Amino acid sequence: MVRAGQSNLGRNMFLITVARALEEFTHCYTLLPSSIMDPSTLRQKFKRFRILIIGRANAGKTTILQRVCKTRENPEIYNSAGEKIDPAVLIASRERGVHDIENEMVFRNNPGFVFHDSRGFEAGGNSEFDSVKAFIARRSKKLSPLSDRIHAIWYCIPMDEDGRSFTEGEVKFFSQCDTGSIPVIVLFTKFDALYDDEFAELIRKGVSRKDAEALAPQHAKEAFASGPQLKLLYNRKGNQRPPRCHICLPDMDKDNAECGPLIERTAETLDDETLKQMFVSTQRTNLEVCMGYAVEMSLARYLDSTQTISSRIFGKSNREIVNNLSVWFPRASGRECADPLSSSSLADRMRR
């Protein structure tokens, strides 16, 4: 009985804290229509979030996926029939220049994500482009099961010395490839390579090495913001299909690499609330994103302009509110699902 009481007390304190934090601006909210899928049916409808990652060889694609899935291990590869492929067979195929975009990459540390890789597309040849275009067309049809569709596209463009201008394949993709409603996010990888240029320029201007090292990252961001890459990317005259947004990713090869901004921007680009809900609850690297959407998308359903947050919330079952909040957090099993507000089911789950 004591433990049950403590559990109820913990839930009440959580709700009270959230309520008080938002009380000051309840007057600007109206009751929102429920577009959030019920927690019990979300995973039944589709269990995995599917991402197509496109980019040149050595663009840092695998490193980024490892960071997103919080692992150093290589992914396991499955064919379209769900059969695991022997790594030796994959190596032999790559040596012959053979690659199947239908193959699924899954990391054991987070099997909720499924990745498809478009290796070879950077060559810009018609066969590679047509293959990617057809794949996107098949995987974007609304008649297809939601779980089989591509839900987001990450296009990686490296900023190291050999890759600062767009390739023919990249220009062709953004000018001709119809991605439909699938959001495309451009990832400028190896962005720290630009720091060296700015560091050298600052040194040339007489800035001390210590100050130049501190100033180089910001100078690189400012120079890039007005540089040719973004002008070409978002120029609608020559580029009829610009991406939804872009993000710069430096130092992804370091142990303390941060992919939080990538998670945030991807979530922002997802217009479908079910997909947004699925993505946010699948990722395990950014607890703040889970908390933010739990409050913004779920808690707001209990508010209207005539009631305070406290009175609105506590007129409902705590369990109902907790269930609707917990859908934005990584799923668990067993006892964790029974008590979504337990320490192991929220913050601890994100640290695994």
Side-chain angles (χ1 to χ4, degrees):
M1 294 297 294
V2 173
R3 295 183 65 180
Q6 290 174 339
S7 178
N8 290 333
L9 178 61
R11 277 191 286 272
N12 288 336
M13 290 302 297
F14 173 81
L15 295 171
I16 290 172
T17 300
V18 174
R20 289 176 176 173
L22 299 176
E23 193 78 66
E24 61 184 82
F25 53 86
T26 54
H27 64 278
C28 66
Y29 279 97
T30 57
L31 187 62
L32 300 179
S34 175
S35 58
I36 306 302
M37 186 178 294
D38 184 86
S40 62
T41 61
L42 173 64
R43 300 287 175 177
Q44 294 176 4
K45 187 169 184 179
F46 70 112
K47 299 181 179 180
R48 304 186 298 179
F49 192 91
R50 196 176 296 271
I51 297 174
L52 169 61
I53 187 163
I54 304 175
R56 318 169 196 175
N58 301 315
K61 293 180 289 183
T62 300
T63 300
I64 290 172
L65 299 186
Q66 288 173 329
R67 292 291 177 269
V68 169
C69 293
K70 301 180 69 173
T71 183
R72 288 284 188 178
E73 296 181 355
N74 288 323
E76 296 177 337
I77 311 297
Y78 298 85
N79 61 24
S80 57
E83 301 167 335
K84 188 175 180 180
I85 303 176
D86 190 319
V89 174
L90 288 171
I91 293 174
S93 297
R94 290 169 187 168
E95 291 176 349
R96 297 194 307 271
V98 178
H99 175 72
D100 189 351
I101 195 173
E102 292 285 352
N103 287 344
E104 300 178 347
M105 298 191 298
V106 179
F107 291 88
R108 288 186 295 177
N109 199 50
N110 192 344
F113 279 124
V114 177
F115 302 101
H116 294 268
D117 182 10
S118 67
R119 292 179 184 177
F121 176 55
E122 64 270 15
N126 289 332
S127 61
E128 292 86 356
F129 177 77
D130 291 342
S131 175
V132 173
K133 189 176 180 179
F135 175 78
I136 292 174
R138 288 194 305 273
R139 295 282 186 158
S140 61
K141 293 180 179 178
K142 292 186 177 181
L143 295 179
S144 303
L146 187 58
S147 59
D148 293 338
R149 300 179 205 166
I150 292 297
H151 306 128
I153 297 174
W154 290 344
Y155 202 120
C156 299
I157 300 177
M159 288 291 102
D160 52 4
E161 187 172 353
D162 296 330
R164 294 180 185 175
S165 59
F166 286 179
T167 66
E168 179 186 348
E170 289 158 358
V171 173
K172 195 172 185 179
F173 178 87
F174 290 108
S175 61
Q176 300 181 28
C177 189
D178 184 3
T179 59
S181 61
I182 304 174
V184 179
I185 302 98
V186 170
L187 282 53
F188 287 105
T189 62
K190 302 184 179 182
F191 193 78
D192 50 293
L194 300 185
Y195 298 174
D196 295 338
D197 293 349
E198 296 300 325
F199 176 83
E201 180 64 18
L202 288 166
I203 292 296
R204 189 184 66 80
K205 292 180 178 179
V207 178
S208 69
R209 294 185 66 87
K210 181 179 180 180
D211 289 343
E213 185 174 353
L215 293 171
Q218 184 59 36
H219 279 230
K221 294 176 183 177
E222 293 173 357
F224 182 76
S226 58
Q229 290 89 355
L230 295 187
K231 290 180 180 179
L232 176 60
L233 195 63
Y234 294 105
N235 179 13
R236 288 189 176 274
K237 289 184 178 180
N239 179 7
Q240 299 300 318
R241 304 185 186 281
R244 194 75 62 89
C245 66
H246 71 275
I247 186 170
C248 302
L249 297 176
D251 300 318
M252 294 303 289
D253 58 328
K254 296 184 178 179
D255 291 337
N256 61 346
E258 175 59 56
C259 66
L262 173 59
I263 298 299
E264 293 173 7
R265 296 308 299 275
T266 302
E268 290 170 2
T269 64
L270 295 169
D271 298 325
D272 185 281
E273 299 299 344
T274 300
L275 291 180
K276 190 189 296 287
Q277 184 180 345
M278 183 67 179
F279 176 78
V280 171
S281 64
T282 297
Q283 64 86 27
R284 300 176 182 176
T285 61
N286 197 324
L287 178 62
E288 288 75 15
V289 168
C290 299
M291 296 175 65
Y293 280 106
V295 171
E296 177 185 351
M297 306 301 295
S298 291
L299 193 60
R301 294 171 54 194
Y302 297 97
L303 313 181
D304 66 25
S305 58
T306 62
Q307 293 177 292
T308 64
I309 291 180
S310 298
S311 63
R312 183 73 182 177
I313 287 178
F314 291 102
K316 297 285 184 180
S317 161
N318 281 0
R319 176 57 60 184
E320 177 187 348
I321 299 174
V322 167
N323 284 344
N324 281 301
L325 291 175
S326 66
V327 75
W328 293 97
F329 293 84
R331 58 179 167 173
S333 59
R335 185 173 177 179
E336 292 182 22
C337 290
D339 190 357
L341 284 181
S342 67
S343 60
S344 64
S345 63
L346 296 180
D348 288 356
R349 214 182 304 162
M350 299 295 290
R351 298 190 186 102
R352 293 175 184 171

